[in-house]
Amino acid sequence: MDMADLGNLGNTIRRLRVARNWTLAELSDKTGIQPATLSRMENNKMVGSLDAFNALAEAFKMKLSELFQECEKDIHEAFEAKLMDVYISGN
């Protein structure tokens, strides 16, 4: 994962949060990160600090490295879907 991929962490954070049926407020309670900040992170408007990522990983009951692996998986799946769209449309 390179620095450009860090922006995609927002998509992963949202996916993990929604999969647990948590609101932004609930994730905020678990991490100590303000809901507005979480929203900006999820919408790829900001990249969180290492402390924020550690808190998120802890809330999701995973290691920090696993959080980044989830992001890489999401990037890979999105890329494959985009390739399939291009292949199907012939463009």
Side-chain angles (χ1 to χ4, degrees), residues 1-20:
M1 176 184 310
D2 63 28
M3 289 303 288
D5 294 333
L6 286 176
N8 291 307
L9 273 167
N11 301 327
T12 302
I13 293 166
R14 178 181 288 118
R15 179 180 60 79
L16 293 170
R17 177 180 62 79
V18 170
R20 289 161 175 78

Side-chain angles (χ1 to χ4, degrees), residues 5-70:
D5 294 333
L6 286 176
N8 291 307
L9 273 167
N11 301 327
T12 302
I13 293 166
R14 178 181 288 118
R15 179 180 60 79
L16 293 170
R17 177 180 62 79
V18 170
R20 289 161 175 78
N21 295 312
W22 293 346
T23 64
L24 284 171
E26 289 170 320
L27 183 55
S28 175
D29 289 342
K30 295 173 188 308
T31 62
I33 303 169
Q34 293 296 316
T37 300
L38 290 168
S39 177
R40 287 192 299 273
M41 290 173 71
E42 285 189 358
N43 289 298
N44 299 313
K45 304 244 186 254
M46 72 174 287
V47 176
S49 67
L50 185 56
D51 287 340
F53 291 128
N54 275 320
L56 288 162
E58 188 175 310
F60 294 133
K61 305 276 192 252
M62 58 178 54
K63 296 177 184 173
L64 182 59
S65 61
E66 293 170 328
L67 178 62
F68 289 119
Q69 287 170 351
E70 287 291 318

